[in-house]
Amino acid sequence: MRYFIRKLGIMVLTLFIISMVTFWLFHIVPGDPAAMILGTSASREQLDNLREELGLNRPLQEQYVEWISGSLHGDFGKSIQYRKPVAKLLKGKLSVTLVLGAMAMTLVIILGIFLGVFTAGRKHIFSEQILNFLNILGISFPGFFLSILLIWIFGLLLRWFNPGKFVSFSRDPAKFFKFMIWPAIAIAIPQICILSKYIRTAVIDEARSDYVRTARSKGSTKNRILYVHVLKNAIVSVVPLIGMIVSGIFSGSIVVEQVFGIPGIGRLLIASVSARDYPTVQTLVMYIAILILVVNFIVDILIQILDPRIRIAR
Amino acid sequence: MKKRLLALILGTVMTASLIAGCGGGSAGKDAETEEEPKPVVEAEESADAPQDERTLVVHLNKPDSGFPAVVTSPIVPADAEDLDSEPIGTGPFVLSEFVEQDYTLLTRNEDYWGEPAHLDSVTLKYFENTASLATNYLSGAIDGFNSNAGGWKELEGTDYVQNLRHSNAVQLLALNNEFEPFKDVRVRQAVAYAVDAEEIIDKVSYGLGTKAGTPVIPGLEKYFNDELTDVYDVNVEKAKELLKEAGQENLSFTIRVPSNYQVHVDTGQVIANQLAKAGIKVEIESVDWNTWLNRVYKESEFEATIVSVDGPIAYPTSFLNRYVSTASDNFVNFHSDAFDETYGKALLATDDAEQVKLFKEAQKIISDECASVYIQDIDSVVINSPAFAGFKAYPLYVDDYSALYTVGDDGKMKEGGDFTKGVFTEAPGFDPFTTQTADARSIFFNIYEGLMGTDTDGSFIPAIAEKCEVSDDLQTYTFTLREGVKFHNGNELTMDDVTYSLEKSIVSGINGFNEIDQFSAGGKTYSVTYPEEK
């Protein structure tokens, strides 16, 4: 219990520091959102007036305190770029990114585990080399490049999907998933490679354990040993990786959303940064930070529950 | 010299009585913050005002034959609550949906007073970068796009219709006249002589551009001074000579270019090479658009820059006003008493021919003084699929979707159809009184209408007003409202909406509304008081 509370305290403190750093950082970057709204036909008076109206002329501390106390009450302020409440702006976008993330996560877990175990079972030097090579390739391909590759091969050459035609879920769910599977693949590939590599190592390590020898001597089949006994223990050792994978998926989706033209929070984040839309950027960064911290928190707790050895060691 | 763009305020707009009552403060704001004064409109009952519901009389504080351009500003319902997200106009298209970072959906206004649009709907699909537009056209995701910087080159060998129009913005190598070397007119001229506009048009715009020579767009034929186009034709020897005279043989400066506009970045490279031939050393610094707007445009923190400057209305003031010494948007810091005087005279001229002459003379002063180097009006290449026709070009930075139609199998016009256009900017909001970006105005052109409208040749045609009469002294304009005009919300347009919108335009300062003394309609007279000049 004490451990739980301490972790929670650290999480809140981290969030607070992140909120402060993002706030100050974005205000150091040169640029003026009012100028973006008004464009080149604006006079300086118009600019000053708009700055005043947007509350950009007030001292930074004041703006920060107002924002933080607002967010605690669920009021994230008003987007400067779109002049509507940030919460309203995020409503449609957050679900798109979460669905994309969930699809990618599903792919990562299913394929990562399967490939990890599958390759662990095959220890021929030649196939191991090839698998290793493909793995490294997958990990090192940047997301945007994978996206472009997928668009080119499956969109333009094979015409399996139309790269520019994102359709929202509410308009046509079937088309929505048919489109989203491609960016999900682009986000998932590097993570699948990472997870399968870890699973493979863990499975090989576990396979050397005594209980495997026992099971084998009891006459269990190779696959039964691999997928039932070994995998169960191997997964426990890769649980800490989940936190990393989740953050990998979210940072991946920021880039991939750009390339596929998906109106999720990744794309909104980039657009808000270039428009110097402070309230939106801050809220988005906080959302992402909370999400990742919560996942890591859950992972920490999970490890405690799953692996009694860690609990005892403490 | 009267400042054309007076101190203006954006945002909250109040009723006449409220404005009259508080004279400057706007609701909900910190009372201690210093505010820019704004025009005040006061209404009172008047027996002299037209008593019927269809006549509007506007009296100007000086003669102006260009006033119809000003009243192209939108007419909105007096009870509209949130134009930003729910725009209500009278135009041929209704804004049905706007999803940020995704698309804007315009559908046909079935109750349009004029000839309704042919298409059922127009979707403006947003893409992050210009490069992906051609790809998406090829994949069939979009039916058309505006191609700048040669994006259409990628389509060669495929089926497409290429429409050309002026972008109605003049690309210039803006020289900060306050930058020490540029204080000497000879140095500015030397730079102008070293720049070869034709090579830029050739290399950067693939030959699709019109040489300018003046800040006024060539598309504004009546006012464009075409004698200035070739004044600074490339002459490297002359450039060197002028630099020598000015003692600036080792001239070097930095051109700060906005990185999001590939065409300006490319132009910068070409110019750097051209200037090198005259011994001028140029460094190019690329900054993002926000930094550009803030530091270069707003604070004039630059030595030279490259940008295209557009205007909100098809009238020379849109392009010339910023060269007035006291103009707040005079970002090149140009100061010329001769220009101020001639331009001032042009504004006051009552005779049309005389006014045109003065506007041209004012341009000549800018050219003689070489305020900056005016390169070209870059052609906008509007790509459409052959399945659509009816493209119309205007001397404004707008896309008119009402004229567009579907081409049937027999090659003739077919009513209905959905057109998807790829765009790389979106309107941040739809309130025409606060959002002033060029791309937003292009959408507004289809949603909103003014008393007068702009025609393809740049002339002003009746829109919500069916008739416009002007007195001989060019100071009194009488508009007769069209009957049966309906807003997108189904309500009939009334004189209240018109007076409300005029007030809103005056207070927010769009289109240069600073010459209305008073206007009267429906038994009331509204007098306008502008803030004192600082």
Side-chain angles (χ1 to χ4, degrees), chain B residues 221-249:
Chain B
E221 283 165 28
K222 184 174 167 190
Y223 301 99
F224 174 70
N225 190 341
D226 56 5
E227 286 164 21
L228 306 174
T229 314
D230 305 320
V231 170
Y232 291 103
D233 265 356
V234 63
N235 188 339
V236 177
E237 286 317 307
K238 186 131 192 209
K240 283 184 179 162
E241 215 172 277
L242 282 163
L243 286 175
K244 201 170 167 189
E245 263 177 49
Q248 286 286 350
E249 286 134 304

PDB file of all heavy atoms in Angstrom, chain B residues 221-249:
ATOM      1  N   GLU B 221      -6.793  45.788 -63.876  1.00  0.00           N
ATOM      2  CA  GLU B 221      -6.314  46.465 -65.081  1.00  0.00           C
ATOM      3  C   GLU B 221      -6.530  47.966 -65.096  1.00  0.00           C
ATOM      4  O   GLU B 221      -5.685  48.728 -65.560  1.00  0.00           O
ATOM      5  CB  GLU B 221      -6.968  45.836 -66.314  1.00  0.00           C
ATOM      6  CG  GLU B 221      -6.334  44.514 -66.679  1.00  0.00           C
ATOM      7  CD  GLU B 221      -7.190  43.717 -67.638  1.00  0.00           C
ATOM      8  OE1 GLU B 221      -7.953  44.327 -68.401  1.00  0.00           O
ATOM      9  OE2 GLU B 221      -7.090  42.472 -67.593  1.00  0.00           O
ATOM     10  N   LYS B 222      -7.679  48.367 -64.571  1.00  0.00           N
ATOM     11  CA  LYS B 222      -8.019  49.786 -64.635  1.00  0.00           C
ATOM     12  C   LYS B 222      -6.990  50.636 -63.886  1.00  0.00           C
ATOM     13  O   LYS B 222      -6.668  51.745 -64.309  1.00  0.00           O
ATOM     14  CB  LYS B 222      -9.403  49.958 -64.027  1.00  0.00           C
ATOM     15  CG  LYS B 222      -9.958  51.355 -64.099  1.00  0.00           C
ATOM     16  CD  LYS B 222     -11.391  51.349 -63.588  1.00  0.00           C
ATOM     17  CE  LYS B 222     -11.864  52.775 -63.341  1.00  0.00           C
ATOM     18  NZ  LYS B 222     -13.154  52.784 -62.639  1.00  0.00           N
ATOM     19  N   TYR B 223      -6.480  50.119 -62.799  1.00  0.00           N
ATOM     20  CA  TYR B 223      -5.605  50.928 -61.944  1.00  0.00           C
ATOM     21  C   TYR B 223      -4.127  50.553 -62.038  1.00  0.00           C
ATOM     22  O   TYR B 223      -3.263  51.282 -61.571  1.00  0.00           O
ATOM     23  CB  TYR B 223      -6.039  50.801 -60.483  1.00  0.00           C
ATOM     24  CG  TYR B 223      -7.455  51.242 -60.246  1.00  0.00           C
ATOM     25  CD1 TYR B 223      -8.489  50.327 -60.157  1.00  0.00           C
ATOM     26  CD2 TYR B 223      -7.752  52.600 -60.120  1.00  0.00           C
ATOM     27  CE1 TYR B 223      -9.794  50.728 -59.947  1.00  0.00           C
ATOM     28  CE2 TYR B 223      -9.058  53.011 -59.901  1.00  0.00           C
ATOM     29  CZ  TYR B 223     -10.076  52.077 -59.828  1.00  0.00           C
ATOM     30  OH  TYR B 223     -11.362  52.489 -59.618  1.00  0.00           O
ATOM     31  N   PHE B 224      -3.867  49.387 -62.592  1.00  0.00           N
ATOM     32  CA  PHE B 224      -2.492  48.897 -62.661  1.00  0.00           C
ATOM     33  C   PHE B 224      -1.680  49.760 -63.633  1.00  0.00           C
ATOM     34  O   PHE B 224      -2.062  49.951 -64.780  1.00  0.00           O
ATOM     35  CB  PHE B 224      -2.520  47.438 -63.142  1.00  0.00           C
ATOM     36  CG  PHE B 224      -1.168  46.833 -63.397  1.00  0.00           C
ATOM     37  CD1 PHE B 224      -0.305  46.548 -62.344  1.00  0.00           C
ATOM     38  CD2 PHE B 224      -0.742  46.539 -64.692  1.00  0.00           C
ATOM     39  CE1 PHE B 224       0.927  45.982 -62.578  1.00  0.00           C
ATOM     40  CE2 PHE B 224       0.493  45.979 -64.932  1.00  0.00           C
ATOM     41  CZ  PHE B 224       1.332  45.700 -63.867  1.00  0.00           C
ATOM     42  N   ASN B 225      -0.569  50.305 -63.169  1.00  0.00           N
ATOM     43  CA  ASN B 225       0.254  51.154 -64.025  1.00  0.00           C
ATOM     44  C   ASN B 225       1.248  50.286 -64.799  1.00  0.00           C
ATOM     45  O   ASN B 225       2.330  49.958 -64.306  1.00  0.00           O
ATOM     46  CB  ASN B 225       0.991  52.192 -63.169  1.00  0.00           C
ATOM     47  CG  ASN B 225       1.663  53.249 -64.023  1.00  0.00           C
ATOM     48  OD1 ASN B 225       1.885  53.024 -65.214  1.00  0.00           O
ATOM     49  ND2 ASN B 225       1.981  54.381 -63.426  1.00  0.00           N
ATOM     50  N   ASP B 226       0.855  49.934 -66.044  1.00  0.00           N
ATOM     51  CA  ASP B 226       1.675  48.974 -66.784  1.00  0.00           C
ATOM     52  C   ASP B 226       2.964  49.585 -67.336  1.00  0.00           C
ATOM     53  O   ASP B 226       3.816  48.875 -67.845  1.00  0.00           O
ATOM     54  CB  ASP B 226       0.858  48.312 -67.904  1.00  0.00           C
ATOM     55  CG  ASP B 226       0.244  49.325 -68.842  1.00  0.00           C
ATOM     56  OD1 ASP B 226       0.532  50.530 -68.667  1.00  0.00           O
ATOM     57  OD2 ASP B 226      -0.522  48.925 -69.735  1.00  0.00           O
ATOM     58  N   GLU B 227       3.098  50.922 -67.213  1.00  0.00           N
ATOM     59  CA  GLU B 227       4.343  51.536 -67.690  1.00  0.00           C
ATOM     60  C   GLU B 227       5.520  51.219 -66.765  1.00  0.00           C
ATOM     61  O   GLU B 227       6.675  51.435 -67.102  1.00  0.00           O
ATOM     62  CB  GLU B 227       4.182  53.060 -67.763  1.00  0.00           C
ATOM     63  CG  GLU B 227       3.323  53.492 -68.941  1.00  0.00           C
ATOM     64  CD  GLU B 227       2.853  54.927 -68.797  1.00  0.00           C
ATOM     65  OE1 GLU B 227       3.490  55.685 -68.033  1.00  0.00           O
ATOM     66  OE2 GLU B 227       1.862  55.270 -69.440  1.00  0.00           O
ATOM     67  N   LEU B 228       5.211  50.730 -65.572  1.00  0.00           N
ATOM     68  CA  LEU B 228       6.280  50.523 -64.585  1.00  0.00           C
ATOM     69  C   LEU B 228       6.857  49.115 -64.636  1.00  0.00           C
ATOM     70  O   LEU B 228       7.853  48.823 -63.979  1.00  0.00           O
ATOM     71  CB  LEU B 228       5.729  50.786 -63.180  1.00  0.00           C
ATOM     72  CG  LEU B 228       5.049  52.144 -62.999  1.00  0.00           C
ATOM     73  CD1 LEU B 228       4.410  52.230 -61.629  1.00  0.00           C
ATOM     74  CD2 LEU B 228       6.066  53.269 -63.182  1.00  0.00           C
ATOM     75  N   THR B 229       6.205  48.256 -65.423  1.00  0.00           N
ATOM     76  CA  THR B 229       6.601  46.849 -65.430  1.00  0.00           C
ATOM     77  C   THR B 229       8.069  46.644 -65.783  1.00  0.00           C
ATOM     78  O   THR B 229       8.748  45.828 -65.180  1.00  0.00           O
ATOM     79  CB  THR B 229       5.720  46.067 -66.433  1.00  0.00           C
ATOM     80  OG1 THR B 229       4.367  46.461 -66.207  1.00  0.00           O
ATOM     81  CG2 THR B 229       5.858  44.579 -66.250  1.00  0.00           C
ATOM     82  N   ASP B 230       8.544  47.428 -66.771  1.00  0.00           N
ATOM     83  CA  ASP B 230       9.896  47.181 -67.269  1.00  0.00           C
ATOM     84  C   ASP B 230      10.938  48.201 -66.805  1.00  0.00           C
ATOM     85  O   ASP B 230      12.066  48.197 -67.283  1.00  0.00           O
ATOM     86  CB  ASP B 230       9.887  47.142 -68.800  1.00  0.00           C
ATOM     87  CG  ASP B 230       8.889  46.121 -69.319  1.00  0.00           C
ATOM     88  OD1 ASP B 230       8.824  45.036 -68.701  1.00  0.00           O
ATOM     89  OD2 ASP B 230       8.193  46.401 -70.313  1.00  0.00           O
ATOM     90  N   VAL B 231      10.536  49.081 -65.891  1.00  0.00           N
ATOM     91  CA  VAL B 231      11.456  50.144 -65.475  1.00  0.00           C
ATOM     92  C   VAL B 231      12.783  49.590 -64.964  1.00  0.00           C
ATOM     93  O   VAL B 231      13.857  50.066 -65.316  1.00  0.00           O
ATOM     94  CB  VAL B 231      10.794  51.034 -64.398  1.00  0.00           C
ATOM     95  CG1 VAL B 231      11.818  51.979 -63.791  1.00  0.00           C
ATOM     96  CG2 VAL B 231       9.640  51.808 -65.001  1.00  0.00           C
ATOM     97  N   TYR B 232      12.684  48.545 -64.142  1.00  0.00           N
ATOM     98  CA  TYR B 232      13.917  48.001 -63.557  1.00  0.00           C
ATOM     99  C   TYR B 232      14.311  46.691 -64.234  1.00  0.00           C
ATOM    100  O   TYR B 232      14.683  45.729 -63.567  1.00  0.00           O
ATOM    101  CB  TYR B 232      13.750  47.805 -62.053  1.00  0.00           C
ATOM    102  CG  TYR B 232      13.655  49.108 -61.309  1.00  0.00           C
ATOM    103  CD1 TYR B 232      12.425  49.576 -60.864  1.00  0.00           C
ATOM    104  CD2 TYR B 232      14.787  49.879 -61.070  1.00  0.00           C
ATOM    105  CE1 TYR B 232      12.328  50.787 -60.188  1.00  0.00           C
ATOM    106  CE2 TYR B 232      14.698  51.081 -60.397  1.00  0.00           C
ATOM    107  CZ  TYR B 232      13.465  51.533 -59.969  1.00  0.00           C
ATOM    108  OH  TYR B 232      13.374  52.721 -59.305  1.00  0.00           O
ATOM    109  N   ASP B 233      14.187  46.647 -65.557  1.00  0.00           N
ATOM    110  CA  ASP B 233      14.620  45.441 -66.247  1.00  0.00           C
ATOM    111  C   ASP B 233      16.087  45.194 -65.922  1.00  0.00           C
ATOM    112  O   ASP B 233      16.861  46.130 -65.751  1.00  0.00           O
ATOM    113  CB  ASP B 233      14.427  45.594 -67.764  1.00  0.00           C
ATOM    114  CG  ASP B 233      13.090  45.006 -68.190  1.00  0.00           C
ATOM    115  OD1 ASP B 233      12.406  44.438 -67.311  1.00  0.00           O
ATOM    116  OD2 ASP B 233      12.724  45.141 -69.363  1.00  0.00           O
ATOM    117  N   VAL B 234      16.445  43.938 -65.873  1.00  0.00           N
ATOM    118  CA  VAL B 234      17.760  43.576 -65.348  1.00  0.00           C
ATOM    119  C   VAL B 234      18.890  44.306 -66.097  1.00  0.00           C
ATOM    120  O   VAL B 234      18.910  44.399 -67.323  1.00  0.00           O
ATOM    121  CB  VAL B 234      17.950  42.042 -65.367  1.00  0.00           C
ATOM    122  CG1 VAL B 234      17.917  41.501 -66.779  1.00  0.00           C
ATOM    123  CG2 VAL B 234      19.233  41.644 -64.658  1.00  0.00           C
ATOM    124  N   ASN B 235      19.798  44.903 -65.312  1.00  0.00           N
ATOM    125  CA  ASN B 235      20.916  45.664 -65.850  1.00  0.00           C
ATOM    126  C   ASN B 235      22.033  45.650 -64.810  1.00  0.00           C
ATOM    127  O   ASN B 235      22.124  46.526 -63.956  1.00  0.00           O
ATOM    128  CB  ASN B 235      20.452  47.102 -66.148  1.00  0.00           C
ATOM    129  CG  ASN B 235      21.526  47.886 -66.880  1.00  0.00           C
ATOM    130  OD1 ASN B 235      22.709  47.535 -66.844  1.00  0.00           O
ATOM    131  ND2 ASN B 235      21.123  48.966 -67.526  1.00  0.00           N
ATOM    132  N   VAL B 236      22.849  44.631 -64.901  1.00  0.00           N
ATOM    133  CA  VAL B 236      23.861  44.409 -63.866  1.00  0.00           C
ATOM    134  C   VAL B 236      24.862  45.568 -63.802  1.00  0.00           C
ATOM    135  O   VAL B 236      25.266  46.004 -62.717  1.00  0.00           O
ATOM    136  CB  VAL B 236      24.581  43.059 -64.102  1.00  0.00           C
ATOM    137  CG1 VAL B 236      25.685  42.848 -63.092  1.00  0.00           C
ATOM    138  CG2 VAL B 236      23.580  41.911 -64.025  1.00  0.00           C
ATOM    139  N   GLU B 237      25.237  46.099 -64.994  1.00  0.00           N
ATOM    140  CA  GLU B 237      26.216  47.203 -65.026  1.00  0.00           C
ATOM    141  C   GLU B 237      25.698  48.410 -64.251  1.00  0.00           C
ATOM    142  O   GLU B 237      26.379  49.018 -63.452  1.00  0.00           O
ATOM    143  CB  GLU B 237      26.513  47.597 -66.484  1.00  0.00           C
ATOM    144  CG  GLU B 237      27.372  46.590 -67.213  1.00  0.00           C
ATOM    145  CD  GLU B 237      28.532  46.079 -66.356  1.00  0.00           C
ATOM    146  OE1 GLU B 237      29.285  46.931 -65.831  1.00  0.00           O
ATOM    147  OE2 GLU B 237      28.675  44.848 -66.175  1.00  0.00           O
ATOM    148  N   LYS B 238      24.417  48.721 -64.538  1.00  0.00           N
ATOM    149  CA  LYS B 238      23.790  49.863 -63.885  1.00  0.00           C
ATOM    150  C   LYS B 238      23.738  49.634 -62.369  1.00  0.00           C
ATOM    151  O   LYS B 238      23.977  50.551 -61.577  1.00  0.00           O
ATOM    152  CB  LYS B 238      22.381  50.042 -64.444  1.00  0.00           C
ATOM    153  CG  LYS B 238      21.689  51.261 -63.942  1.00  0.00           C
ATOM    154  CD  LYS B 238      21.094  52.057 -65.087  1.00  0.00           C
ATOM    155  CE  LYS B 238      20.657  53.420 -64.584  1.00  0.00           C
ATOM    156  NZ  LYS B 238      19.544  53.968 -65.317  1.00  0.00           N
ATOM    157  N   ALA B 239      23.450  48.405 -61.986  1.00  0.00           N
ATOM    158  CA  ALA B 239      23.381  48.075 -60.560  1.00  0.00           C
ATOM    159  C   ALA B 239      24.733  48.338 -59.908  1.00  0.00           C
ATOM    160  O   ALA B 239      24.828  48.972 -58.847  1.00  0.00           O
ATOM    161  CB  ALA B 239      22.970  46.614 -60.386  1.00  0.00           C
ATOM    162  N   LYS B 240      25.799  47.878 -60.574  1.00  0.00           N
ATOM    163  CA  LYS B 240      27.151  48.062 -60.018  1.00  0.00           C
ATOM    164  C   LYS B 240      27.482  49.550 -59.896  1.00  0.00           C
ATOM    165  O   LYS B 240      28.056  50.000 -58.900  1.00  0.00           O
ATOM    166  CB  LYS B 240      28.178  47.373 -60.922  1.00  0.00           C
ATOM    167  CG  LYS B 240      28.193  45.856 -60.736  1.00  0.00           C
ATOM    168  CD  LYS B 240      29.294  45.242 -61.587  1.00  0.00           C
ATOM    169  CE  LYS B 240      29.357  43.738 -61.419  1.00  0.00           C
ATOM    170  NZ  LYS B 240      30.102  43.107 -62.511  1.00  0.00           N
ATOM    171  N   GLU B 241      27.096  50.263 -60.955  1.00  0.00           N
ATOM    172  CA  GLU B 241      27.361  51.703 -61.000  1.00  0.00           C
ATOM    173  C   GLU B 241      26.705  52.416 -59.814  1.00  0.00           C
ATOM    174  O   GLU B 241      27.311  53.216 -59.110  1.00  0.00           O
ATOM    175  CB  GLU B 241      26.751  52.222 -62.292  1.00  0.00           C
ATOM    176  CG  GLU B 241      27.515  53.344 -62.973  1.00  0.00           C
ATOM    177  CD  GLU B 241      26.883  53.601 -64.331  1.00  0.00           C
ATOM    178  OE1 GLU B 241      27.218  52.878 -65.300  1.00  0.00           O
ATOM    179  OE2 GLU B 241      26.020  54.493 -64.391  1.00  0.00           O
ATOM    180  N   LEU B 242      25.418  52.080 -59.614  1.00  0.00           N
ATOM    181  CA  LEU B 242      24.657  52.716 -58.532  1.00  0.00           C
ATOM    182  C   LEU B 242      25.250  52.388 -57.169  1.00  0.00           C
ATOM    183  O   LEU B 242      25.342  53.239 -56.289  1.00  0.00           O
ATOM    184  CB  LEU B 242      23.199  52.255 -58.571  1.00  0.00           C
ATOM    185  CG  LEU B 242      22.320  52.919 -59.635  1.00  0.00           C
ATOM    186  CD1 LEU B 242      21.048  52.117 -59.856  1.00  0.00           C
ATOM    187  CD2 LEU B 242      21.972  54.346 -59.214  1.00  0.00           C
ATOM    188  N   LEU B 243      25.703  51.155 -57.015  1.00  0.00           N
ATOM    189  CA  LEU B 243      26.300  50.742 -55.746  1.00  0.00           C
ATOM    190  C   LEU B 243      27.585  51.519 -55.504  1.00  0.00           C
ATOM    191  O   LEU B 243      27.891  51.939 -54.376  1.00  0.00           O
ATOM    192  CB  LEU B 243      26.583  49.241 -55.749  1.00  0.00           C
ATOM    193  CG  LEU B 243      25.374  48.318 -55.604  1.00  0.00           C
ATOM    194  CD1 LEU B 243      25.791  46.866 -55.743  1.00  0.00           C
ATOM    195  CD2 LEU B 243      24.677  48.531 -54.266  1.00  0.00           C
ATOM    196  N   LYS B 244      28.339  51.728 -56.590  1.00  0.00           N
ATOM    197  CA  LYS B 244      29.600  52.446 -56.484  1.00  0.00           C
ATOM    198  C   LYS B 244      29.341  53.889 -56.063  1.00  0.00           C
ATOM    199  O   LYS B 244      29.979  54.419 -55.149  1.00  0.00           O
ATOM    200  CB  LYS B 244      30.311  52.405 -57.837  1.00  0.00           C
ATOM    201  CG  LYS B 244      31.805  52.666 -57.737  1.00  0.00           C
ATOM    202  CD  LYS B 244      32.473  52.374 -59.069  1.00  0.00           C
ATOM    203  CE  LYS B 244      33.884  52.942 -59.053  1.00  0.00           C
ATOM    204  NZ  LYS B 244      34.503  52.870 -60.387  1.00  0.00           N
ATOM    205  N   GLU B 245      28.346  54.485 -56.729  1.00  0.00           N
ATOM    206  CA  GLU B 245      27.967  55.865 -56.402  1.00  0.00           C
ATOM    207  C   GLU B 245      27.596  55.996 -54.922  1.00  0.00           C
ATOM    208  O   GLU B 245      27.918  56.977 -54.272  1.00  0.00           O
ATOM    209  CB  GLU B 245      26.730  56.263 -57.217  1.00  0.00           C
ATOM    210  CG  GLU B 245      27.022  57.035 -58.474  1.00  0.00           C
ATOM    211  CD  GLU B 245      25.736  57.304 -59.228  1.00  0.00           C
ATOM    212  OE1 GLU B 245      24.758  57.771 -58.605  1.00  0.00           O
ATOM    213  OE2 GLU B 245      25.700  57.017 -60.447  1.00  0.00           O
ATOM    214  N   ALA B 246      26.882  54.998 -54.452  1.00  0.00           N
ATOM    215  CA  ALA B 246      26.398  55.051 -53.066  1.00  0.00           C
ATOM    216  C   ALA B 246      27.467  54.581 -52.079  1.00  0.00           C
ATOM    217  O   ALA B 246      27.250  54.594 -50.864  1.00  0.00           O
ATOM    218  CB  ALA B 246      25.148  54.194 -52.920  1.00  0.00           C
ATOM    219  N   GLY B 247      28.599  54.144 -52.617  1.00  0.00           N
ATOM    220  CA  GLY B 247      29.666  53.658 -51.742  1.00  0.00           C
ATOM    221  C   GLY B 247      29.303  52.352 -51.058  1.00  0.00           C
ATOM    222  O   GLY B 247      29.709  52.084 -49.930  1.00  0.00           O
ATOM    223  N   GLN B 248      28.504  51.535 -51.750  1.00  0.00           N
ATOM    224  CA  GLN B 248      28.064  50.266 -51.142  1.00  0.00           C
ATOM    225  C   GLN B 248      28.508  49.080 -52.000  1.00  0.00           C
ATOM    226  O   GLN B 248      27.741  48.158 -52.228  1.00  0.00           O
ATOM    227  CB  GLN B 248      26.536  50.259 -51.012  1.00  0.00           C
ATOM    228  CG  GLN B 248      25.978  51.145 -49.919  1.00  0.00           C
ATOM    229  CD  GLN B 248      26.197  50.568 -48.538  1.00  0.00           C
ATOM    230  OE1 GLN B 248      26.612  49.420 -48.371  1.00  0.00           O
ATOM    231  NE2 GLN B 248      25.936  51.371 -47.518  1.00  0.00           N
ATOM    232  N   GLU B 249      29.776  49.139 -52.463  1.00  0.00           N
ATOM    233  CA  GLU B 249      30.230  48.068 -53.356  1.00  0.00           C
ATOM    234  C   GLU B 249      30.270  46.709 -52.668  1.00  0.00           C
ATOM    235  O   GLU B 249      30.231  45.685 -53.323  1.00  0.00           O
ATOM    236  CB  GLU B 249      31.616  48.400 -53.924  1.00  0.00           C
ATOM    237  CG  GLU B 249      31.534  49.477 -54.983  1.00  0.00           C
ATOM    238  CD  GLU B 249      32.584  50.538 -54.782  1.00  0.00           C
ATOM    239  OE1 GLU B 249      32.602  51.115 -53.666  1.00  0.00           O
ATOM    240  OE2 GLU B 249      33.368  50.797 -55.705  1.00  0.00           O
TER     241      GLU B 249
END
